[in-house]
Amino acid sequence: QVQLVESGGGSVQPGGSLRLACAASGSIFGPAAMGWYRQAPGKQRELVARITTGGTTNYADSVRGRFTISTDNAKNTVYLQMNSLKPEDTAVYYCNYVDGRGHVYWGQGTQVTVSS
């Protein structure tokens, strides 16, 4: 069973920055991909950014150029650097882990609030 521990959420003013981290442990098969999703009140969960073990990245159009996803393979950790934050980025952000057998795991979620 994979455990995902998220950190780095919080409140920030528009234009500010935050960095989320998600540390994975307990995987037998290793990661195939890790990523971040978010869910705002009254909306569906949506992909923010994703990175495969091969280094391929995908970003939502709404965050491309402002957010950067990266990994530290030695620490089994995925990061999301969020710059130029906007009020519409306010949401609960969830870490996502897909192992080598296609099993999907989710973190507990971390709140990001962008407000003046």
Side-chain angles (χ1 to χ4, degrees):
Q1 185 74 10
V2 174
Q3 291 81 45
L4 302 174
V5 179
E6 301 159 343
S7 60
S11 296
V12 65
Q13 292 186 341
S17 298
L18 286 172
R19 189 174 83 150
L20 305 182
C22 173
S25 62
S27 177
I28 297 175
F29 304 113
M34 297 184 73
W36 293 92
Y37 287 68
R38 67 186 181 187
Q39 188 167 19
K43 294 187 177 181
Q44 290 187 332
R45 190 173 297 189
E46 63 176 1
L47 172 69
V48 177
R50 181 176 181 269
I51 184 168
T52 69
T53 52
T56 300
T57 56
N58 299 97
Y59 293 93
D61 289 342
S62 59
V63 307
R64 188 174 292 112
R66 299 188 296 123
F67 292 9
T68 303
I69 190 168
S70 62
T71 57
D72 183 333
N73 293 328
K75 296 181 179 179
N76 290 323
T77 300
V78 63
Y79 302 95
L80 185 69
Q81 178 66 44
M82 305 185 293
N83 298 329
S84 302
L85 282 160
K86 303 175 180 180
E88 51 263 45
D89 295 318
T90 295
V92 178
Y93 284 69
Y94 295 92
C95 179
N96 172 269
Y97 181 105
V98 181
D99 73 13
R101 292 293 181 94
H103 302 132
V104 180
Y105 301 89
W106 293 94
Q108 79 280 6
T110 185
Q111 177 71 44
V112 171
T113 302
V114 185
S115 174
S116 56

